[in-house]
Amino acid sequence: MDWLAEEDETDTELVVSTEHCNILIVDDEEDVHATTILTMKRFMFEGKSMRFFSAHSALEAKQILKQERRFSLILLDVVMETENAGLDLAKYIRQDLKNRFTRIILRTGQPGVAPEHSVIRDFDIDGYKSKTELRKQDLESSFYTSLRAYRDICQLQKHREILEQVIDSIANISQIGDLLNFAAAVLAQIELVLNLSTTKMLIESSETFAISQMEDRLNMFSANANVVHVLEHSDINHLPDHERDLFLKALKVKHNFHEGRYYVYYHHSDRGYDTIFAFETKQPLENAEIRMIDLFLRNVLLSYENLLLVNAFEETQELAITLMGGTMESHSKETGAHVVRVGLYAMHLAKLNGETAYFCERIRLAAQLHDVGKVGVPDSILKKEDKFTAQEWAEMQLHVNKGWDILQGLDNSIIKMASNLVVDHHEKWDGSGYPNGKKQLEISLEGRITAIADVFDALCSKRCYKDPWTLEQARQEILNGSGKHFDPQLTTLFIDNFSVFSEIYQQNPD
């Protein structure tokens, strides 16, 4: 064929390459397959050799295209088993297979069958060539143009996928409220994000860590040998030497840097807190990889800082609640350990009842305020060792109403729960309790749970008016109150899991 006149007929071996560009030739003329392959067999694109596949009809091409293999370029004959077989195949590739990446060059011996402008417009192809015009230089030019377009389209798609993964990773991580799970998620996602952006494995799993300095505390999470640790230090000298040195350098230079085998990302927040994230790499990161990892870490470390602030707030809130509850108990010559134990009993009983982790954690704190209203009861009654008079008992019962009044109007989920259990924890299942004579499910769940927790611990504890009961005596008393004083379902859970509650009592002594 005259369009192959410039082909070198020397039969040398093909250039060996570890990577290939897959090229599909679709043509019903066997000579076209042979001569195209012969012409382009030594062609290289960015270090990649060409690997050719042949189909002699549109139907055969469809079978090949259904396989997992990706093609960079398709050289497609227009007229095969039908006059429009090639055009129909181009439509099938774009619309049915939804393949917008593979580049398509139409080749025909009958150019008048399909005008060039309408084909390019309607079928998203990259070229329309006449076989009589296609010499080696034409093929090489077409290959360069099409393979560059395929490369650029794939890179854009890869960047889009990476960006989606980064955004998705950030969204998922930002929803985690537990530091240990947060750290594990960050360490898993950081490797995924990096390895999405490159064909090279960048992270050594031997060490990855983050350090955040917030006021006078150092918070840190790290992974060594795939084990995640969450730590807190008050002295920077307690950090391992290399971690301390990287942190101090980041505080000094105030930007990201490579140091030996580590890449260190530095973040300074608007609140004035400093955080670094460091990990080992096999080789320095490229600029594109640095931009991607910086985007990821900038958002992740904002979430990390917010999580630390939330944790600090929750610690402060818990301390305030425990101190408040303990203060009320010590006012009545009971101990702060009593309110802590009541909170723990309530939390575990709620877990056994199938309540959510959120509910269980709230009731652990809220139950510590069950007797907050005792602050309004005179000492002469609270500390009396003899039996109350009718008037004194009536005054003592008012502590639930006083506790309700103290806690009402505070817009906090824990305090709202506390106000419910404060007013309900002396109600009884049979309706004989106080202050409102509620019965059964009229009593709030938190009130029913706290009733068991409070009575059990009060029975086991020494009071000014009594000696402590044994654990077995207290257990029997709770059992005797089932269906009368206590919710029978909760009582069954308490009795069936009594070892849990006796262990809490023994591990939190007065």
Side-chain angles (χ1 to χ4, degrees), residues 87-103:
L87 302 182
D88 292 340
L89 180 59
K91 183 178 180 180
Y92 170 81
I93 292 169
R94 298 305 191 209
Q95 296 183 5
D96 295 0
L97 297 183
K98 301 187 185 305
N99 180 347
R100 300 292 181 183
F101 303 98
T102 299
R103 310 328 300 154

Side-chain angles (χ1 to χ4, degrees), residues 93-363:
I93 292 169
R94 298 305 191 209
Q95 296 183 5
D96 295 0
L97 297 183
K98 301 187 185 305
N99 180 347
R100 300 292 181 183
F101 303 98
T102 299
R103 310 328 300 154
I104 300 174
I105 295 179
L106 288 177
R107 300 195 298 180
T108 182
Q110 305 175 46
V113 173
E116 180 177 353
H117 71 279
S118 61
V119 173
I120 293 175
R121 180 193 66 209
D122 297 338
F123 294 97
D124 185 22
I125 66 170
D126 295 87
Y128 186 82
K129 304 293 182 181
S130 170
K131 294 180 184 180
T132 59
E133 300 173 351
L134 214 59
R135 291 179 168 81
K136 180 180 179 181
Q137 62 185 26
D138 299 316
L139 275 172
E140 287 184 346
S141 176
S142 297
F143 268 53
Y144 275 123
T145 301
S146 299
L147 294 178
R148 283 170 182 155
Y150 177 77
R151 175 202 62 197
D152 293 344
I153 291 171
C154 289
Q155 285 180 348
L156 287 173
Q157 175 65 11
K158 189 69 171 179
H159 290 159
R160 185 180 70 83
E161 291 173 355
I162 293 170
L163 185 58
E164 288 176 353
Q165 179 62 52
V166 169
I167 294 171
D168 187 55
S169 296
I170 292 169
N172 291 335
I173 289 171
S174 65
Q175 296 174 17
I176 300 173
D178 173 76
L179 266 177
L180 185 60
N181 289 330
F182 179 89
V186 170
L187 297 171
Q189 292 296 330
I190 193 80
E191 184 168 344
L192 177 60
V193 169
L194 275 173
N195 291 328
L196 273 173
S197 65
T198 180
T199 59
K200 304 182 293 293
M201 177 67 77
L202 292 170
I203 288 188
E204 293 279 7
S205 61
S206 56
E207 184 176 31
T208 308
F209 62 89
I211 304 171
S212 183
Q213 185 174 47
M214 302 177 66
E215 298 173 350
D216 58 346
R217 293 201 303 185
L218 290 169
N219 294 279
M220 176 179 177
F221 65 78
S222 64
N224 298 84
N226 296 322
V227 178
V228 178
H229 304 276
V230 175
L231 307 169
E232 182 180 309
H233 298 287
S234 58
D235 186 350
I236 195 170
N237 293 316
H238 290 163
L239 297 175
D241 291 346
H242 69 288
E243 295 174 2
R244 181 184 66 248
D245 292 344
L246 290 175
F247 185 60
L248 291 175
K249 179 175 179 178
L251 295 182
K252 181 178 180 180
V253 302
K254 299 188 181 305
H255 58 70
N256 311 337
F257 58 89
H258 282 98
E259 180 77 10
R261 64 184 187 276
Y262 291 95
Y263 177 69
V264 180
Y265 177 83
Y266 170 76
H267 175 74
H268 181 77
S269 74
D270 293 338
R271 299 182 179 98
Y273 303 137
D274 294 295
T275 302
I276 69 164
F277 190 100
F279 54 88
E280 289 184 281
T281 64
K282 291 183 176 180
Q283 58 200 44
L285 303 180
E286 297 175 1
N287 289 335
E289 295 159 349
I290 289 175
R291 287 194 297 272
M292 191 60 64
I293 203 66
D294 287 357
L295 169 65
F296 175 76
L297 288 175
R298 180 165 60 252
N299 288 276
V300 165
L301 292 183
L302 283 173
S303 298
Y304 178 50
E305 180 185 301
N306 288 334
L307 181 55
L308 290 175
L309 289 171
V310 169
N311 281 6
F313 170 78
E314 290 177 348
E315 288 174 7
T316 302
Q317 177 178 252
E318 179 170 350
L319 178 61
I321 289 173
T322 301
L323 288 174
M324 185 186 301
T327 300
M328 298 309 107
E329 297 302 327
S330 60
H331 178 62
S332 60
K333 285 194 173 180
E334 296 170 8
T335 71
H338 166 68
V339 299
V340 171
R341 290 194 299 265
V342 169
L344 292 172
Y345 300 144
M347 178 184 71
H348 283 281
L349 190 52
K351 283 182 180 178
L352 292 169
N353 198 49
E355 305 308 317
T356 65
Y358 181 60
F359 181 96
C360 295
E361 183 56 26
R362 281 189 302 158
I363 199 171

Side-chain angles (χ1 to χ4, degrees), residues 397-433:
Q397 288 180 320
L398 289 177
H399 80 277
V400 295
N401 303 93
K402 292 175 179 178
W404 169 270
D405 291 340
I406 290 171
L407 300 177
Q408 274 303 290
L410 298 177
D411 189 17
N412 177 283
S413 62
I414 295 174
I415 299 302
K416 287 179 180 178
M417 177 182 279
S419 65
N420 289 335
L421 63 86
V422 159
V423 79
D424 280 353
H425 77 287
H426 283 297
E427 301 287 3
K428 295 183 179 180
W429 186 257
D430 63 6
S432 63

